[in-house]
Amino acid sequence: MASLDLERVLKIPDDYEGFPTSLFCVPKHYEDSIGNVLITHGTIQDRIEKLARDVFYDFYKQNKEPVHAICVLKGGYKFFSDLLDKVNALNSNHSEGSVPISVDFIRLKSYENTESSGEVNIIGLDNLDSLAGKNVLIVEDIIDTGKTMKKLLNTIQKYRPKSVKVACLLRKRTPLSSGYIPDYVGFEIPDKFVIGYALDYNEYFRDLLHICVISENGIQKFKV
């Protein structure tokens, strides 16, 4: 899969191996289940700080209009929390103005006939009509093929928001990609199964601080 041709993304090459887990603190119960550390927790935080500045100033230039941030659960909760904390820090320390932020949390479930409808069932947002006229920021952990996100955007657009932007921490290079490009991307990563920083494998590894590649032993150990 071709790389994103974007200036505001950190690209991790396909041949990048990462770092041995022995160099970092990882939970004992995961030591035999992780391949290498692909992105350290510190690097994640530094990159999110830059994304927060991009988000803040992009909306600040739009007459400081309010932003309605929507977190896609479960995997997006840590990225969402850290991103908004950093945006709010800018709000608190910017002498010339701030950007009001409101929040919502959703989960996505595809309809049985997703191929024909092109939509997803949005769970957790009581009234989608409330999005009308708002500047919406969708915050997602990882975009793989991009098909689910395109369906979500197709659904949300029907409720007439003023604008919709998408921020994702990770965008995977995969031959299955629909070609969808988010507005804000933290890292572009190789086509590998990654876990940690709220990204899971069968609900495990969400409590791992770093983003890592799961090992074959980890796949077998936590298989359901």
Side-chain angles (χ1 to χ4, degrees), residues 130-145:
S130 66
L131 299 179
K134 292 184 176 179
N135 295 305
V136 175
L137 176 67
I138 300 171
V139 182
E140 175 71 287
D141 55 351
I142 184 169
I143 291 181
D144 197 328
T145 66

Side-chain angles (χ1 to χ4, degrees), residues 73-100:
L73 297 171
K74 293 180 183 177
Y77 82 90
K78 284 186 72 66
F79 175 45
F80 182 80
S81 176
D82 288 341
L83 179 68
L84 261 60
D85 280 350
K86 290 172 171 54
V87 171
N88 288 331
L90 290 166
N91 270 334
S92 300
N93 294 288
H94 200 281
S95 60
E96 297 181 6
S98 56
V99 178

